[in-house]
Amino acid sequence: QVQLVESGGGLVQAGGSLRLSCEVSGIRFNVNTMGWYRQAPGKQRGLVATITSIGNTIYADSVKGRFTISRDNAKNTWYLQMNSLKPEDTAVYYCNLVTPTLYGPRQYWGQGTQVTVSS
């Protein structure tokens, strides 16, 4: 059974930093694409960042230069380092994993972790 367990959310003042972690079990890790998405109240869930198995990254324009996604294959874990946080970064953050299967890509989600940035 595939499980994604997130940690690292919390309350921080504007300009501060947080690091989110997502550990996966029950799946072969290094062939997958991992990512982070977020959902603010009243808004749709949207992409924050992704990282492929070979380390290629994509970032939402709103977080470029402030957030960094990374992965540790030895720990089956990926991270989102968030610096220079702004109140508009407040949201529930979800980690995401996409894995290839014979029937096409399949994705899994973490349980979500709240990030609140105060002004």
Side-chain angles (χ1 to χ4, degrees):
Q1 183 179 359
V2 179
Q3 283 192 312
L4 279 64
V5 179
E6 298 183 41
S7 61
L11 173 65
V12 65
Q13 288 189 331
S17 299
L18 284 174
R19 188 176 82 155
L20 306 182
S21 301
C22 187
E23 182 177 3
V24 62
S25 60
I27 197 168
R28 185 180 171 193
F29 183 76
N30 59 352
V31 299
N32 306 307
T33 295
M34 284 76 73
W36 293 93
Y37 290 71
R38 66 186 181 186
Q39 187 168 19
K43 295 187 177 181
Q44 289 189 327
R45 189 177 301 186
L47 171 73
V48 177
T50 62
I51 184 167
T52 69
S53 58
I54 58 172
N56 294 330
T57 57
I58 295 175
Y59 293 93
D61 288 342
S62 59
V63 306
K64 284 181 181 177
R66 300 188 297 122
F67 291 10
T68 303
I69 188 170
S70 62
R71 58 190 291 167
D72 186 336
N73 291 341
K75 295 181 178 180
N76 288 355
T77 301
W78 63 106
Y79 308 93
L80 184 69
Q81 178 67 45
M82 304 184 292
N83 298 328
S84 302
L85 282 160
K86 304 175 181 179
E88 51 264 43
D89 295 318
T90 296
V92 178
Y93 284 70
Y94 297 89
C95 60
N96 171 270
L97 181 147
V98 179
T99 187
T101 75
L102 292 176
Y103 309 102
R106 181 172 180 176
Q107 64 178 342
Y108 299 89
W109 293 93
Q111 78 278 12
T113 186
Q114 177 70 46
V115 171
T116 302
V117 184
S118 63
S119 57

